[in-house]
Amino acid sequence: MHQHQVFTLLVVAAAAAAGYAAKLAGIPLPWILGPMLISAIAALSGFGVPESLTVRRSAQVVVGTAVGHGFTAAVLISLAWQVPWMVLFAFWSLCVAAVCSLLLARWAGLDRRTALLANLPGGVAEMAFLGDDSQSRGASTAISLIQAMRVTSLVILLPFLLSLILDGSGGARTTAGGVELGWATLLVLAIGFGVGWGMNRLGIQNAFIVGALLVSVIDTLSGALGGNVPAWLFIAAQIAIGLTLGGRFKREEIARLPRILAVGLGVSLITSTLIIVSAWSIASPLGIPLSIMTLAGSPGGIAEMMITATSLGLGVAEVVAFQMVRIIVVNLSASPMARLWLRVTS
């Protein structure tokens, strides 16, 4: 076994131990925050764990499947009338992010297109891919770092802040539990991965978690298989996501772009705060508790916000719905919006 493989195993073991220690200490989101800390330390030391697309995608499939099995027909029907609000809020989020990206362009010295893509509430990889078309040198790296800073900061801050305003539990919850990994669960996971792969080929953002979620909801409504994700597998998926989040902060990139990192964090927090406060303003008309609406509106990543809701004992129905609608809107709007934005602000 090569030395780097041994070190990778040590980091993974330390990440799992940190997650367990965080759980014993009563820290919110322990199985993500503990591994994320270990992974970030390793990455900043120059010995980060290499990111595996297969592992990350598999973790997303597990999360999507676990959450999807908590949905019922009654929950879905109760969400139907909120869809127009979800679409409007998604576009409003894009507008807030676009306006705040002007601060990023001014303070970090980025071109407007790069700043916009870095600040839009989209996926890290997807926005960085669009940034490859930018004329700015290192645009995709800057976009990846700023996107990662937003998601990471929200994953750290929101669980602690939400403990101050917990006021409801919502509808659907994850059904992760038990220890047995039966054939029905394996089949649902395999189908979810396959659907996610197909959606990813079509260029859909967060395809694997969305695909698995859809398959899981269909399985729940039809009662065809009824596969239940074991608790240990759900924990393993969270550890994998935590390792991925922490591993994005590579020493060489941060050392090369310290100003962009600092400004990006500040602008991301401003943008996220404005979007979340906007979400609070519609919580009462929609009859959604503030705690749930915070996660539903937060631009912190669908997998991360779903796990946060689960970890805090909150229902995830509205969180999933709002996050999925925003994924669709961002996926369809990011590229044309960038072109329009350049014309409007030129």
Side-chain angles (χ1 to χ4, degrees), residues 10-24 30-31 34-35 38 239:
L10 289 175
V11 171
V12 172
Y20 184 68
K23 179 175 176 58
L24 292 179
W31 297 110
I38 297 298
I239 292 174

Side-chain angles (χ1 to χ4, degrees), residues 144-302:
S144 296
L145 272 178
I146 295 170
Q147 290 277 351
M149 284 298 301
R150 184 188 68 251
V151 173
T152 303
S153 61
L154 291 175
V155 166
I156 293 173
L157 293 173
L158 286 181
F160 294 98
L161 296 177
L162 281 173
S163 64
L164 303 176
I165 60 171
L166 286 175
D167 55 4
S169 59
R173 294 174 179 270
T174 174
T175 60
V179 296
E180 184 179 353
L181 182 61
W183 68 268
T185 301
L186 287 172
L187 184 56
V188 171
L189 291 171
I191 296 173
F193 192 95
V195 172
W197 181 85
M199 295 174 71
N200 183 66
R201 297 282 292 180
L202 295 174
I204 297 175
Q205 280 186 17
N206 295 281
F208 285 86
I209 193 168
V210 173
L213 183 66
L214 292 176
V215 170
S216 181
V217 169
I218 292 172
D219 176 46
T220 302
L221 296 179
S222 66
L225 296 171
N228 188 37
V229 174
W232 62 265
L233 186 59
F234 189 61
I235 290 173
Q238 294 177 69
I239 292 174
I241 291 173
L243 286 168
T244 299
L245 287 174
R248 286 173 175 158
F249 298 99
K250 297 177 174 60
R251 180 176 61 180
E252 60 275 12
E253 293 181 356
I254 291 178
R256 184 164 59 89
L257 302 169
R259 180 182 177 187
I260 288 178
L261 188 70
V263 173
L265 174 59
V267 174
S268 292
L269 289 175
I270 292 172
T271 304
S272 298
T273 299
L274 291 175
I275 291 175
I276 291 172
V277 170
S278 300
W280 288 350
S281 70
I282 64 172
S284 180
L286 295 180
I288 300 175
L290 281 180
S291 54
I292 295 177
M293 197 63 222
T294 299
L295 298 178
S298 172
I302 182 171

Side-chain angles (χ1 to χ4, degrees), residues 73-96:
V75 170
L76 293 175
I77 292 172
S78 70
L79 292 174
W81 73 274
Q82 298 177 359
V83 171
W85 287 89
M86 296 175 190
V87 174
L88 288 173
F89 184 77
F91 279 108
W92 171 252
S93 299
L94 295 186
C95 292
V96 172

